[in-house]
Amino acid sequence: MTDEFDEIEPGRRSGAHRQESAASSNIGAISLVIILALVAVLLVVAAINIIFSSMGNPESKIADPPASESASAEPSPSESEVSVADDSITVDVLNGSGVSGAAKKFSEAVEEKGWKLGQVGNYSTNLSDSTVYYNGEENSSQAKLVAKSLGVSATEASSDFEADITVVICSDIADRGPEPSGGGDSE
């Protein structure tokens, strides 16, 4: 049995008819692919930029305050105020580092440099940075001199201690000991 679909004229197409591909229909698809590729490249570049900028030291991106502001924030004592140890000042030395013998090493340096040695012992603290505490503003300049001579970078007013000046040695300097006789940098 044959029907009309079996009899096809030569050269005549039959069945599913497809439109001839036109160049104009491919241009839209190609444009879309190019735009999506550009957006992807921009996103990758932005992500890399964010990653590298977050890897740097954040403190390096903060500008230092102008010299006039930092100078006015804390008046510096004159050189004559802090150049000589006052032997009437009592200095306690407390070991908050857990390093055996640290208070003894620092207390010997305190006496050697001219201050009256008070209590020497252990102290319980969670701090890791050594600090020289002073009781009363009149002891501020001597506390800075003590800190400088021992290699401690921080001084702080505190009424928590009975002595005029109290040195709390922590893990930052306990192992190395006090500065040699020339003194260290302060602040």
Side-chain angles (χ1 to χ4, degrees):
M1 236 194 331
T2 62
D3 60 12
E4 63 189 67
F5 297 108
D6 292 331
E7 298 173 12
I8 302 173
E9 295 176 21
R12 182 173 171 234
R13 295 179 68 187
S14 65
H17 298 285
R18 294 193 168 93
Q19 179 180 0
E20 297 287 327
S21 66
S24 63
S25 66
N26 288 338
I27 290 176
I30 292 171
S31 298
L32 180 62
V33 168
I34 290 173
I35 290 172
L36 290 175
L38 288 173
V39 169
V41 168
L42 289 175
L43 287 173
V44 168
V45 169
I48 290 171
N49 189 19
I50 290 170
I51 290 169
F52 281 119
S53 67
S54 68
M55 289 173 61
N57 181 0
E59 291 183 10
S60 68
K61 296 176 182 156
I62 299 173
D64 290 332
S68 61
E69 286 182 28
S70 62
S72 64
E74 185 175 3
S76 60
S78 69
E79 193 62 36
S80 63
E81 285 183 297
V82 294
S83 63
V84 178
D86 183 348
D87 60 357
S88 69
I89 299 279
T90 302
V91 179
D92 286 354
V93 180
L94 304 177
N95 182 358
S97 70
V99 174
S100 181
K104 184 176 189 289
K105 285 192 285 188
F106 282 88
S107 65
E108 290 169 354
V110 165
E111 277 187 310
E112 181 182 296
K113 295 177 183 186
W115 289 283
K116 183 170 74 176
L117 187 60
Q119 177 186 355
V120 177
N122 291 324
Y123 182 72
S124 179
T125 182
N126 293 331
L127 300 175
S128 60
D129 294 329
S130 300
T131 305
V132 175
Y133 297 96
Y134 56 93
N135 196 348
E137 277 305 310
E138 66 277 6
N139 295 322
S140 172
S141 61
Q142 283 294 307
K144 289 177 184 177
L145 183 58
V146 169
K148 181 177 181 180
S149 68
L150 297 178
V152 177
S153 60
T155 60
E156 186 178 315
S158 176
S159 59
D160 294 343
F161 301 99
E162 292 181 26
D164 299 319
I165 296 174
T166 302
V167 180
V168 177
I169 305 301
C170 294
S171 60
D172 61 334
I173 63 171
D175 286 325
R176 73 156 167 79
E179 288 288 326
S181 294
D185 293 331
S186 176
E187 297 177 80

